[in-house]
Amino acid sequence: MGVFDQKDFLGCCGSTKFAKEMVLSGPFSNYQQAVEAARDIWFNKVDVNGWLEAFAAHPKIGESPSHSQKTKSSSSAQWSEGEQSTALASATDSSFQELIEWNARYLQKFGIVFLIFASGRTTLEILAEMKKRYVNRPIVELEIAAQEQMKITELRLSKLFSLQKDASSEAKTDNATDIVNKAGEDRISVIGGHLTSEASTGKPSQATTRTRPPITTHVLDVAQGSPAAGIEVQLEIWEGNEPPSAFTQSHTGHWILQGTSMTDKDGRSGQLISMVDNLNAGIYCISFNTGKYNPAGFFPYVSIVFEVRESQKLEHFHVPLLLSPFSFSTYRGS
């Protein structure tokens, strides 16, 4: 059983809101359950200010954590150094100097440190990614940084569970009679989310329940640089023997409505689909009433069609919309 306090979770992610919500959501029976809760909290409950607080807890790539960062979380500082070890070991004088210059350039444009899942990456790989992302608009880069923070958080949660497992093992060695805790310790011994097939009673365990709907979205108004509130959203699934296509003359199927919602002040929609463990495979369409949101814009509505394959039924699909009056973009988030 993963029982951790707020300081433990601050080491994984520097957002105070995130750490408090994780404590309230716990304890967690295993690593995978903690990750599911962390994703839900980070993307659905922590606002932009909380994201910025978490970003500020990271040192620049190639830079040692500051005294203030060590004070906030000594484990975070230690983990940051370990995650950047490959980059530091692979740096030459010239590449390290270039990294310093690009760190400063990135910070000046976006107002945040360059955030990337650095574990195992060389200095040249990190530099290439920084240059690639430098051309992004700030609102786009904010979303990418949030995705990278989640990757870092998941890695650190695994370390947290691993440390607890090691501590439990030492306690067992010191006190051989403490055998009653073995079942709980076994359940967290495999880091990476593999669930045990049987509980201590010998009955099959239940699959991990989702902590958020399997399909979610939010809308960012790129022109305003802020979340887009009050946009109508609907989700549909295709029913038919053949997949829909804009390039065929006729269809032998139709769209079935799954749910509708409205984006809130953070640009996030409400629940569009039932909280099922196994998402139905198929073709989905998520549509946004952009014409009502911005009558002077170019798009009366925006529809994004995507496919969920049989092998992806247990996954989560986050489909954000980055909107401006005359363009839009999207991608699959976590």
Side-chain angles (χ1 to χ4, degrees), residues 28-176:
F28 305 106
S29 61
N30 52 51
Y31 164 74
Q32 188 60 40
Q33 192 180 79
V35 167
E36 287 292 330
R39 289 174 181 168
D40 177 52
I41 291 167
W42 179 245
F43 290 113
N44 297 320
K45 296 181 181 179
V46 178
D47 59 17
V48 173
N49 290 327
W51 284 7
L52 295 177
E53 181 187 12
F55 300 162
H58 291 274
K60 296 175 185 176
I61 298 293
E63 181 180 83
S64 297
S66 66
H67 175 72
S68 60
Q69 289 162 335
K70 287 185 177 180
T71 300
K72 187 171 185 178
S73 174
S74 58
S75 58
S76 176
Q78 181 181 356
W79 287 339
S80 289
E81 292 177 357
E83 290 154 8
Q84 295 188 29
S85 59
T86 300
L88 294 176
S90 64
T92 62
D93 290 342
S94 60
S95 64
F96 188 75
Q97 182 60 38
E98 187 178 8
L99 184 63
I100 292 174
E101 293 171 358
W102 273 96
N103 271 330
R105 189 180 302 180
Y106 181 94
L107 181 61
Q108 183 177 18
K109 178 178 180 179
F110 297 107
I112 58 175
V113 298
F114 177 70
L115 205 62
I116 187 172
F117 184 78
S119 185
R121 298 200 184 197
T122 66
T123 298
L124 292 180
E125 289 174 334
I126 292 172
L127 269 171
E129 188 65 21
M130 191 184 299
K131 293 174 183 178
K132 178 182 176 182
R133 285 167 48 182
Y134 183 77
V135 300
N136 289 336
R137 293 184 179 184
I139 196 72
V140 176
E141 190 60 19
L142 181 70
E143 178 71 20
I144 294 175
Q147 298 284 347
E148 294 297 310
Q149 172 62 62
M150 191 66 245
K151 295 176 186 176
I152 296 169
T153 300
E154 291 180 21
L155 175 64
R156 295 182 178 183
L157 282 171
S158 73
K159 293 177 180 177
L160 203 60
F161 272 80
S162 182
L163 288 172
Q164 187 185 67
K165 176 200 167 188
D166 291 342
S168 297
S169 297
E170 290 178 6
K172 280 186 65 185
T173 301
D174 293 338
N175 185 3

Side-chain angles (χ1 to χ4, degrees), residues 228-233 260-264 267-270 272 292:
I231 294 184
E232 298 173 6
V233 185
T260 62
S261 184
M262 186 89 68
T263 57
D264 60 17
R268 303 184 185 279
S269 75
L272 294 169
K292 186 175 181 180

